[in-house]
């Protein structure tokens, strides 16, 4: 891609930054600092220290022997982001951004959260680095994920429920951006997914790319070759872009993102601007972002990262949808066959892989990015199955 455009945060026609001038100034400074520290050897060393000693990286690339037998077809590997501290991939990004915030002299961290996982990851990192932490969360989500609210509070964060709009993730993003404009002097906005105005999508990808950096090395060690396909769920798209990053320039590797059929942003979205950036967006008849209803709170967002939008329109990545029934079945199947209870978000990837694997042959390799563990969802699934 054109270096100049990449610098400005464009992925083809998508991305960019469409925000009021006050916010643009804050973002320009953030970009400058991100590019400055990203390649700084001391920063890189500090980041890799905390990823290793605190998050517990590398995460394993587990051969799923029983699943491979049960599905017939491709050899299945699971990239185990569920084994990270706090139970998902989001901590990779939270640690990266908080180290940047520290270097920029911020004293206060704000964040939005949907499922609560990013809020927990952020509150965790704030506790460890002794930062004030304020988390905006849709009121509806605070009810769906009450235990995560309590976790954040235990970790010392203040959780602010957002009643506006649908009381969901996108409303929480709006509130957090408002806070940033008012308090940018001492505040760092720690964005949880590969969305938002530049430099966030580029920055979040940078911190999540460790997933594919590791998986590429791991699969080469185990199999002596690249995988044939990578499957990851896509809400905002951070675990998926992290799982894809080091394979984007390897055309033999199919990249597949999976969405809920109730929030099929990449399948049915149209180019539009949401939350200060351009991406594929699900619009209703009035041209407003559609209300989405996913059983996985982390996938409940009518937009998607700009790079995924670009990968979709250029055909480099494919995007599929799965139904709630398929997700619930996959949630149970992975639990029973591999002894791993996945997050409902991750179960979307498992559900699609189940359809894909039998179409591949035994010599082929499919990696499922297991973005998180399912402890947070067990009660919800219990209620749904009753
Ligand atoms: C938040 C979350 C997601 C969705 O976010 P992305 O930015 O699309 O990765 C997926 N899986 C889990 C476990 C999550 O917590």
């Amino acid at each position: 891609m054109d270096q100049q455009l990449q610098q400005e945060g464009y992925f083809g026609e998508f991305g960019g930054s469409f925000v009021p001038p006050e916010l643009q100034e804050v973002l320009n400074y953030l970009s400058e600092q991100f590019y400055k520290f990203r390649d700084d050897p001391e920063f890189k060393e500090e980041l890799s220290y905390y990823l290793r000693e605190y998050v517990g990286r590398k995460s394993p690339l587990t051969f799923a022997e029983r699943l491979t037998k049960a599905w017939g077809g491709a050899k299945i590997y699971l990239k185990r982001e569920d084994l990270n501290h706090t139970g998902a991939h989001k901590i990779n990004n939270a640690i990266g951004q908080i180290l940047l915030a520290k270097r920029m002299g911020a004293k206060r961290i704000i964040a939005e959260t949907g499922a609560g996982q990013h809020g927990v990851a952020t509150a965790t990192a704030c506790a460890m680095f002794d930062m004030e932490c304020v988390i905006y969360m849709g009121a509806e989500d605070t009810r769906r994920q009450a235990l995560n609210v309590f976790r954040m509070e235990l970790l010392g964060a203040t959780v602010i429920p957002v009643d506006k709009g649908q009381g969901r993730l996108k409303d929480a993003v709006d509130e957090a951006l408002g806070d940033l404009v008012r308090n940018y002097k001492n505040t760092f906005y720690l964005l949880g997914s590969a969305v938002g105005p530049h430099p966030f999508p580029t920055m979040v990808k940078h911190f999540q790319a460790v997933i594919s950096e590791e998986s590429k090395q791991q699969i080469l060690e185990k199999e002596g070759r690249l995988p044939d396909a990578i499957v990851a769920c896509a809400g905002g798209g951070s675990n998926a872009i992290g799982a894809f990053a080091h394979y984007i320039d390897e055309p033999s590797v199919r990249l597949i993102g999976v969405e809920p059929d109730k929030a099929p942003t990449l399948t049915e979205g149209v180019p539009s601007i949401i939350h200060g950036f351009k991406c594929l967006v699900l619009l209703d008849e009035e041209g407003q972002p559609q209300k989405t209803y996913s059983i996985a709170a982390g996938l409940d967002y009518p937009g998607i990262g700009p790079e995924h939008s670009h990968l979709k329109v250029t055909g480099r990545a494919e995007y599929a949808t799965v139904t709630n029934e398929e997700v619930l079945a996959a949630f149970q199947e992975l639990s029973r066959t591999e002894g791993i209870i996945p997050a409902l978000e991750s179960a979307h990837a498992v559900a699609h892989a189940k359809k894909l694997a039998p179409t591949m042959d035994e010599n082929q390799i499919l990696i499922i990015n297991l973005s998180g563990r399912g402890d947070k969802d067990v009660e919800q699934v219990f209620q749904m199955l009753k």
Side-chain angles (χ1 to χ4, degrees):
M1 174 174 296
D2 187 316
Q3 191 65 27
Q4 182 70 29
L5 286 181
Q6 180 103 44
Q7 287 292 321
E8 289 164 9
Y10 274 92
F11 304 90
E13 69 169 301
F14 300 104
S17 179
F18 301 86
V19 298
E22 326 74 275
L23 182 53
Q24 190 57 57
E25 263 177 54
V26 182
L27 296 178
N28 290 346
Y29 180 62
L30 176 61
S31 292
E32 186 194 299
Q33 297 289 303
F34 166 63
Y35 286 118
K36 176 169 144 198
F37 287 115
R38 182 180 66 170
D39 302 318
D40 176 72
E42 251 175 61
F43 181 82
K44 282 164 73 174
E45 197 170 308
E46 196 180 10
L47 178 60
S48 87
Y49 171 85
Y50 285 106
L51 289 180
R52 185 178 69 244
E53 301 294 329
Y54 191 69
V55 176
R57 302 204 74 91
K58 317 175 171 170
S59 71
L61 182 70
T62 307
F63 174 49
E65 196 176 342
R66 292 198 58 215
L67 215 50
T68 300
K69 277 211 187 96
W71 290 351
K75 258 183 136 168
I76 311 294
Y77 280 89
L78 306 170
K79 182 59 175 159
R80 304 292 306 281
E81 295 302 297
D82 61 307
L83 292 178
N84 294 340
H85 179 46
T86 72
H89 66 291
K90 292 204 175 75
I91 191 83
N92 304 330
N93 171 54
I95 295 282
Q97 286 195 48
I98 212 160
L99 288 175
L100 179 61
K102 221 177 62 162
R103 302 232 165 186
M104 290 170 65
K107 299 276 177 278
R108 178 172 177 268
I109 302 289
I110 59 171
E112 85 300 332
T113 194
Q117 287 288 91
H118 174 57
V120 170
T122 303
T124 299
C126 286
M128 193 180 55
F129 290 101
D130 192 21
M131 295 265 201
E132 185 188 343
C133 182
V134 175
I135 305 291
Y136 290 93
M137 189 169 185
E140 172 65 23
D141 289 331
T142 62
R143 289 185 284 273
R144 293 208 285 186
Q145 302 286 349
L147 272 180
N148 272 342
V149 173
F150 182 59
R151 282 190 187 98
M152 289 180 252
E153 288 169 352
L154 272 178
L155 292 160
T158 305
V159 179
I160 303 183
V162 176
D163 271 320
K164 289 189 189 143
Q166 245 188 308
R168 289 283 186 72
L169 179 60
K170 83 174 186 63
D171 310 297
V173 174
D174 289 335
E175 288 296 294
L177 285 173
D179 182 320
L180 180 63
V181 169
R182 291 190 302 277
N183 301 302
Y184 66 91
K185 286 203 175 110
N186 69 347
T187 297
F188 185 99
Y189 181 12
L190 207 162
L191 197 77
S193 191
V195 297
H198 182 64
F200 285 111
T202 301
M203 188 158 77
V204 174
K205 178 192 184 183
H206 178 76
F207 292 130
Q208 292 294 1
V210 66
I211 299 173
S212 50
E213 185 187 335
E214 288 177 6
S215 79
K216 196 172 190 179
Q217 196 190 340
Q218 288 166 318
I219 202 71
L220 288 173
E221 275 164 21
K222 286 172 202 281
E223 297 278 351
R225 66 183 198 87
L226 293 176
D228 297 278
I230 317 271
V231 179
C233 65
S238 71
N239 88 86
I241 207 69
F244 294 172
H246 287 265
Y247 300 100
I248 291 174
D249 293 330
E250 305 279 4
S252 69
V253 183
R254 282 176 73 184
L255 306 175
I256 304 160
V258 186
E259 305 180 296
D261 68 343
K262 299 290 191 304
T265 313
L266 283 154
T267 314
E268 293 176 18
V270 295
S272 185
I273 291 170
I274 183 173
H275 298 129
F277 70 106
K278 190 169 176 190
C279 66
L280 294 172
V281 185
L282 282 173
L283 298 177
D284 64 18
E285 278 155 18
E286 271 114 60
Q288 295 301 311
Q290 234 176 65
K291 297 182 181 185
T292 55
Y293 298 95
S294 170
I295 55 171
L299 303 183
D300 224 349
Y301 183 60
I304 179 78
E307 191 167 2
H308 286 292
S309 304
H310 180 62
L311 292 172
K312 158 82 185 179
V313 302
T314 57
R316 175 61 192 96
E318 307 156 54
Y319 295 88
T321 61
V322 290
T323 66
N324 286 350
E325 292 67 35
E326 291 168 333
V327 170
L328 281 175
F331 182 89
Q332 296 169 84
E333 186 172 14
L334 190 68
S335 303
R336 251 182 251 133
T337 51
E338 296 289 342
I340 299 169
I341 301 176
L344 275 173
E345 290 85 358
S346 319
H348 285 68
V350 178
H352 184 71
K354 182 185 171 77
K355 298 187 221 175
L356 184 63
T359 71
M360 298 168 69
D361 74 52
E362 307 180 338
N363 302 319
Q364 292 188 297
I365 300 165
L366 190 166
I367 295 179
I368 302 173
N369 196 46
L370 213 62
S371 55
R373 65 177 184 231
D375 303 43
K376 69 183 177 61
D377 300 314
V378 167
E379 196 193 336
Q380 189 192 339
V381 173
F382 173 68
Q383 297 299 338
M384 287 188 293
L385 292 177
K386 255 198 331 202

